[in-house]
Amino acid sequence: MFARNIYAKNMEKRTALITGATSGIGEATARLLAAHGHRIIICGRRGDRLEILQQEFQQLTDVITLQFDVRDKQAVYQAIDSLPAAWQHIDILINNAGNAHGLSPIQDGDEEDWEAMLDINIKGLLYTTKKVVQGMVTRQAGHIVNIGSIAGKEVYQGGNVYCASKFAVDALNKGMLLDLNAYGIKVTAINPGLVATEFSMVRFKGDAERAKKVYEGMQPLKPEDIADIIYFVVTRPAHVNLSDITVLPTAQASATTVRRSLS
Ligand code: NDP
Ligand code: 8X3
């Protein structure tokens, strides 16, 4: 009930572009924005998922799907250019697409994993931002939400390149905040700890047993928990910007300190 009241004051309908909306945090965020009637542009590589989600969300709001790989600069630019004129005015960009690939010590790291993480988590975020921020600068309004991680605040064993990519997101968030300040554009980093999504399945390349162990004996965050926080952040009054938020499960105190039951 409390949440309903605080959101109600800021209910003007806006247009949000969400990368990585086909699962996990991005999907939950798109669903919440749609439930509040905001127009959403949902992005990802998996066209079948985008189609199913579009069918669900269009019962609630106007939805456009964009299928592209954030690593492919031309594909990012073409996809965003392909939006109908009425959708070119993007109020909120949620830079969420990203993953960890592998957990190997640096000496055993797989170059393809490294490239995937650097290209998706950093360069993909940059390409999307470059394209969307131009309109925000012209309009002198907008909000960019960058999904970082506790891995962008602390390095853990085997996290090497994933942590580096999320430290880069932390730096880019700070840089955007400074560079876009003159234009009245809000910039926010949300840095979650453990969230139960497809993240660990991707990190461990489909090894479900290994992925399950990450959350064993503890209650991780749900993607909806992060969606709630994103929604709160993007519905603050015009003069309020939450610039940097770290959110952990209660059972987690740092990247590597997690209270687990013994069973
Ligand atoms: P999921 O694996 O569930 O979602 C990842 C999303 O990113 C998918 O929608 C996927 O879509 C998209 N994506 C991945 N690679 C690409 C690509 N090359 N091009 C376009 N889209 C891509 O994981 P989460 O929801 O957990 O992850 C979302 C964000 O949250 C990531 O940035 C992650 O680093 C961050 N995060 C996650 C935490 C966790 O514990 N789960 C904790 C802290 C941060 P598709 O495959 O269809 O392209
Ligand atoms: C995801 C959280 O701790 O697995 O960014 O790196 S962690």
Side-chain angles (χ1 to χ4, degrees), residues 203-214:
R203 166 167 256 173
F204 299 123
K205 304 178 196 309
D207 183 339
E209 276 309 301
R210 214 173 157 198
K212 211 171 105 190
K213 281 204 168 64
V214 174

Side-chain angles (χ1 to χ4, degrees), residues 147-233:
I147 306 302
S149 171
I150 186 68
K153 302 285 184 182
E154 297 171 43
V155 180
Y156 53 86
Q157 248 183 346
N160 45 65
V161 177
Y162 178 65
C163 293
S165 75
K166 289 299 184 178
F167 269 68
V169 173
D170 191 46
L172 289 171
N173 189 73
K174 292 183 169 101
M176 288 183 202
L177 192 61
L178 293 170
D179 295 347
L180 300 174
N181 172 262
Y183 302 98
I185 297 168
K186 296 189 190 190
V187 180
T188 301
I190 303 205
N191 306 294
L194 294 166
V195 190
T197 62
E198 296 177 12
F199 179 86
S200 292
M201 282 293 276
V202 174
R203 166 167 256 173
F204 299 123
K205 304 178 196 309
D207 183 339
E209 276 309 301
R210 214 173 157 198
K212 211 171 105 190
K213 281 204 168 64
V214 174
Y215 314 109
E216 220 161 60
M218 58 88 64
Q219 169 72 64
L221 294 167
K222 296 180 282 215
E224 291 76 15
D225 298 322
I226 307 301
D228 271 346
I229 293 164
I230 294 173
Y231 195 75
F232 180 79
V233 161

Side-chain angles (χ1 to χ4, degrees), residues 19-27 43-50 68-72 95-101 116 119-121 147-151 162 165-166 169 190-202 214-215 221 223 226:
T19 65
T22 53
S23 64
I25 294 169
E27 178 185 334
C43 311
R45 290 166 302 177
R46 286 171 289 183
D48 52 341
R49 296 258 187 124
L50 287 172
F68 61 86
D69 186 328
V70 294
R71 282 174 292 196
D72 182 343
N95 275 323
N96 165 74
N99 276 118
H101 294 262
D119 289 350
I120 298 167
N121 301 356
I147 306 302
S149 171
I150 186 68
Y162 178 65
S165 75
K166 289 299 184 178
V169 173
I190 303 205
N191 306 294
L194 294 166
V195 190
T197 62
E198 296 177 12
F199 179 86
S200 292
M201 282 293 276
V202 174
V214 174
Y215 314 109
L221 294 167
I226 307 301

Side-chain angles (χ1 to χ4, degrees), residues 42-68:
I42 53 174
C43 311
R45 290 166 302 177
R46 286 171 289 183
D48 52 341
R49 296 258 187 124
L50 287 172
E51 214 171 288
I52 291 167
L53 292 170
Q54 183 176 33
Q55 280 168 23
E56 176 192 336
F57 298 155
Q58 70 192 7
Q59 314 294 323
L60 305 164
T61 190
D62 296 330
V63 189
I64 284 199
T65 63
L66 292 180
Q67 186 182 2
F68 61 86

